[in-house]
Amino acid sequence: MDGVPEPQSAEPITQHLQRAVQRVRAFDGRHPLVWDLHLTAFWTIAALIDFHGGGWTRIARSTDVPEHLVLALSLALSVPLLWRRAHPRTVLLLMAPALLVNAWTGALLQAALLQLLVVFHITLRRPLRSLWWAAAVSTAPVVVTVLRHPRGPADEDLVPHAMSLLVAAAIGITVRTRHDHTEALKDRARRLEIERDQQARLAAAAERTRIAREMHDIIGHNLSVITGLADGGRYAAAKSPERAAQALDAISGTSRQALAELRRLLDVLRDDEPAPADLTPQPALTDLDRLLDGVRKAGLPVRATIEGEPTVSPGRQLTLYRVIQEALTNTLKHAGPGATSSIALSYAASGAVTVTVTDTGRGGTPGVNGGRGLTGMRERTALYGGTLEAGPRPHPERGWRVHLHLPEEAAP
């Protein structure tokens, strides 16, 4: 009926079994000796019961074997199982004399079948080539039985023994294959986890670099403009109070613009309320005029020429804008008084873009804090496979030149 929750299906019994097996394996991994002692004690007691109850006489080829020898053989075939996991080949060699005596006397104790458990562990824990000599050691007593105490055709003894060996080896190979597969999956999971952590650290480092680059471009440029306006306003205050008031207004506008862009950048970093895409600080080439107006108000004459039709993606527009902004900021900082700047922006029909920003300043090396501005420009250019050249203009010209070239944009 509607509104009535369906009863949850019962958990499959296989899941209960899997959890039980996992708990047993976990306990065995922490306390292997406990399991080994219990298993060895179980088979030892079974061998002693077979000896004391006389059950061995029902299948023996000869019942004239002394009791003390039967007791010794029972213990020799069961007690070594305590070391079957750590040293399976050594255990099989220790059991070999008892197996031969068991076959020679015709006692044929059922405890001899415990060698199959040792063969299983050899298959599970040792190179598979060890199976050849293990099969030879295990088959030799059967051959002795066939020759010394024959009873019917020889294949009645050899074939069952060979089948038992094959079953023990097949089980060992199956368990070993599953174990190796599980370990491979665990190793792959560990490597994927390490790779995921590395990718997360790389992504965090890349994001920190991007944020630092954006903050450098926003704050560095606007502070340079404010500094230029403040210097100009100070000189104009004595002669033209109106010009000083205009400089203060420009400083106020530039400061508000810088604060607004900084707030938008910080909003992007907030985890609780991510900023929508249209609020992120991503200026485009349509904002170039406003950038140039602010630089001119700061006292740097700028002339811009544009050739071709702009067909540039938003990401490439941001790169072009930031490179031009950083070049003009460096000119404001380092070109000195009386410097001018020019911008040549060229769009090719193929989609390539070239920008050249030059100034007539002193030509000193721009950039503070280890040249972070130039580094940011090169990083932005490299994102789109472009090239960037920055350096003094060739003699006899004075000033600095920044040349950016973005190749044709690859088709999506």
Side-chain angles (χ1 to χ4, degrees):
M1 296 177 61
D2 294 341
V4 179
E6 297 182 358
Q8 295 183 351
S9 59
E11 191 175 31
I13 191 173
T14 54
Q15 295 186 7
H16 291 285
L17 293 176
Q18 289 177 357
R19 283 200 295 269
V21 171
Q22 290 175 357
R23 286 194 291 267
V24 171
R25 287 178 175 173
F27 179 83
D28 182 44
R30 296 191 300 268
H31 311 284
L33 184 60
V34 174
W35 176 255
D36 291 341
L37 286 172
H38 278 77
L39 186 138
T40 303
F42 173 82
W43 289 116
T44 302
I45 293 173
L48 293 177
I49 291 175
D50 185 54
F51 155 71
H52 188 267
W56 65 276
T57 59
R58 299 186 185 130
I59 62 172
R61 301 287 173 91
S62 173
T63 57
D64 297 332
V65 185
E67 289 188 358
H68 67 277
L69 182 57
V70 176
L71 176 61
L73 291 175
S74 299
L75 295 175
L77 293 173
S78 57
V79 173
L81 291 179
L82 182 62
W83 301 279
R84 74 195 185 285
R85 289 200 287 188
H87 309 286
R89 291 182 294 188
T90 303
V91 170
L92 186 60
L93 292 176
L94 289 175
M95 296 173 65
L99 292 170
L100 290 173
V101 173
N102 180 53
W104 182 266
T105 60
L108 301 186
L109 299 177
Q110 295 187 65
L113 296 176
L114 296 177
Q115 65 180 313
L116 298 177
L117 186 58
V118 182
V119 172
F120 164 78
H121 281 281
I122 291 176
T123 308
L124 182 63
R125 306 175 187 280
R126 294 294 179 264
L128 293 181
R129 60 177 179 271
S130 300
L131 280 175
W132 293 107
W133 70 264
V137 171
S138 180
T139 305
V142 181
V143 175
V144 172
T145 301
V146 171
L147 296 178
R148 183 166 173 78
H149 303 282
R151 180 184 293 177
D155 56 2
E156 291 184 1
D157 293 315
L158 292 174
V159 172
H161 176 74
M163 293 298 295
S164 300
L165 282 178
L166 287 176
V167 170
I171 295 175
I173 291 174
T174 301
V175 175
R176 180 174 185 167
T177 302
R178 180 177 177 82
H179 179 268
D180 292 344
H181 179 66
T182 302
E183 290 299 319
L185 291 178
K186 290 180 179 178
D187 180 68
R188 181 183 179 187
R190 285 192 296 268
R191 288 188 284 106
L192 288 176
E193 184 176 358
I194 294 173
E195 182 179 354
R196 181 198 63 191
D197 294 341
Q198 291 177 343
Q199 292 294 336
R201 287 194 293 269
L202 290 175
E207 185 66 11
R208 285 195 297 269
T209 301
R210 187 189 70 83
I211 293 170
R213 188 168 56 230
E214 290 289 340
M215 293 188 70
H216 173 273
D217 292 340
I218 294 172
I219 298 175
H221 171 75
N222 287 286
L223 286 180
S224 297
V225 172
I226 291 172
T227 301
L229 291 170
D231 291 340
R234 184 182 61 185
Y235 289 111
K239 299 180 181 180
S240 177
E242 295 180 357
R243 294 290 301 273
Q246 292 175 359
L248 291 175
D249 291 339
I251 291 174
S252 176
T254 304
S255 300
R256 289 190 178 93
Q257 178 184 352
L259 287 174
E261 292 187 8
L262 189 58
R263 287 194 187 101
R264 287 196 295 267
L265 178 61
L266 295 178
D267 287 341
V268 175
L269 304 180
R270 295 179 60 183
D271 295 332
D272 51 350
E273 296 179 1
D278 58 347
L279 294 182
T280 57
Q282 302 292 321
L285 293 178
T286 54
D287 302 310
L288 193 58
D289 291 339
R290 187 175 62 181
L291 173 68
L292 299 182
D293 290 341
V295 173
R296 293 186 182 108
K297 289 180 181 179
L300 176 64
V302 182
R303 179 171 55 88
T305 57
I306 301 176
E307 297 179 359
E309 293 295 329
T311 55
V312 184
S313 64
R316 290 157 67 93
Q317 288 191 43
L318 176 63
T319 296
L320 295 170
Y321 181 92
R322 290 302 190 197
V323 169
I324 295 173
Q325 182 186 53
E326 181 62 26
L328 294 176
T329 301
N330 289 333
T331 300
L332 284 171
K333 290 180 180 179
H334 306 285
T340 61
S341 181
S342 63
I343 302 172
L345 179 59
S346 174
Y347 301 99
S350 61
V353 186
T354 302
V355 175
T356 302
V357 182
T358 57
D359 63 55
T360 59
R362 292 174 299 198
T365 302
V368 294
N369 298 328
R372 187 172 297 167
L374 291 177
T375 301
M377 287 195 290
R378 291 192 174 95
E379 289 176 350
R380 292 183 183 277
T381 305
L383 289 176
Y384 296 95
T387 58
L388 185 135
E389 300 174 358
R393 299 173 66 183
H395 187 74
E397 296 178 339
R398 296 180 55 192
W400 194 266
R401 175 179 178 271
V402 175
H403 179 76
L404 166 67
H405 175 74
L406 297 182
E408 178 183 357
E409 190 168 10

